[in-house]
Amino acid sequence: MTDTPRNETPTTGVPAHAAIARRTVLVATGATAATLAVGAATSGAAAPRTADTAPVAAAAVCTLTREMTEGPYYLDGQYVRSDITEGKTGFPLKLALTVVDDDTCAPISNALVEIWHCDALGEYSGYVGKNGHNEPDSGTFLRGGVLTDSRGVAAITTVYPGWYIGRCVHIHVKVHVNVTLTADGSFTGGTELHTGQLFFDEKITAKVGALSPYSANTVTRTTLAQDGIYDDGGAASGLLTLTALGSSPSAGYSGKLTLGVEN
């Protein structure tokens, strides 16, 4: 099975580390903005007036982050839905992905955020068996997307992904605008603004991977450090901020990231 180690480009032909023209950004948190303000003060710069703080910070906290390869397992025409699990076993994952304009940092509403990923055994719907495990294949499990709300947030319920040969644990993501929803619950048309991947903290993945059903995955897990796509760029390269939903990994996690797109 290949997604593919080191370049993962069977369907695109684009080297994984090649420069990609479309830009994406990550919006810094309030804590980052505060750090910028403190740095200015300690360097001798005058502290901004209270009334000016928000616009100054808003103009300063957008940084570029990279797009990543689509990989070989994308399928067109998936459902628009907030829960993509289809009963797949695994630990709950509640994603909150915020889409903003890279020039203004303003949230973009009604953008379709689409994700797809493998299950606990490393199998993708539509391609079951590629990672060495036999199971029913609906062709749609762990695939789908949702429109962002007025805050630019896409809330999607899924399960913590497993892994497959040659890749660390990850989720693929696309952002589309101006799509048309169809009667069968899917979408058509629109413009694709971003293709990327979401990544997971290695310490958390190790805890998850040691427990059932993930421990039944017979493939050796590739770590973040060993992965040929993730470049150790943290949130700027798609690393999610994960928060435990309970005292045990089995209770699941919430995952947040703010993606900026060139609209």
Side-chain angles (χ1 to χ4, degrees):
M1 175 177 184
T2 55
D3 187 18
T4 298
R6 301 299 166 192
N7 61 13
E8 197 184 39
T9 56
T11 60
T12 63
V14 180
H17 294 292
I20 300 178
R22 290 198 304 266
R23 294 186 301 154
T24 58
V25 301
L26 187 72
V27 176
T29 63
T32 302
T35 300
L36 291 173
V38 170
T42 56
S43 65
R49 297 188 305 274
T50 301
D52 294 336
T53 300
V56 168
V61 298
C62 288
T63 57
L64 294 176
T65 190
R66 57 178 299 206
E67 294 200 345
M68 294 187 178
T69 177
E70 176 184 284
Y73 299 123
Y74 181 68
L75 292 175
D76 289 316
Q78 294 303 312
Y79 294 122
V80 177
R81 52 183 180 173
S82 60
D83 188 330
I84 66 171
T85 57
E86 288 192 20
K88 295 297 292 185
T89 58
F91 303 160
L93 179 64
K94 307 287 187 179
L95 292 173
L97 304 175
T98 303
V99 180
V100 300
D101 184 280
D102 74 329
D103 292 320
T104 65
C105 294
I108 300 176
S109 61
N110 292 316
L112 182 75
V113 178
E114 180 185 17
I115 68 170
W116 67 103
H117 64 85
C118 66
D119 65 9
L121 297 180
E123 301 291 348
Y124 279 88
S125 56
Y127 298 89
V128 167
K130 294 287 188 179
N131 204 42
H133 305 89
N134 291 320
E135 58 186 41
D137 188 354
S138 66
T140 55
F141 68 74
L142 305 181
R143 296 178 181 273
V146 67
L147 295 173
T148 56
D149 62 18
S150 61
R151 302 168 299 156
V153 178
I156 303 175
T157 297
T158 184
V159 297
Y160 204 102
W163 60 91
Y164 52 97
I165 187 168
R167 287 303 317 277
C168 66
V169 172
H170 65 282
I171 291 175
H172 293 271
V173 59
K174 284 183 181 286
V175 177
H176 313 257
V177 292
N178 301 320
V179 302
T180 299
L181 302 185
T182 58
D184 63 356
S186 184
F187 70 95
T188 188
T191 301
E192 180 185 309
L193 298 183
H194 173 64
T195 298
Q197 296 182 26
L198 309 175
F199 297 95
F200 295 77
D201 181 271
E202 189 61 35
K203 292 181 180 179
I204 293 175
T205 292
K207 293 178 181 178
V208 169
L211 302 175
S212 178
Y214 301 89
S215 58
N217 192 334
T218 59
V219 172
T220 300
R221 185 171 66 82
T222 297
T223 66
L224 282 175
Q226 296 167 333
D227 190 71
I229 304 297
Y230 180 68
D231 62 0
D232 200 29
S237 293
L239 189 67
L240 291 162
T241 297
L242 296 173
T243 302
L245 297 177
S247 58
S248 167
S250 62
Y253 296 87
S254 64
K256 295 183 178 180
L257 191 69
T258 300
L259 295 171
V261 298
E262 193 167 279
N263 193 11

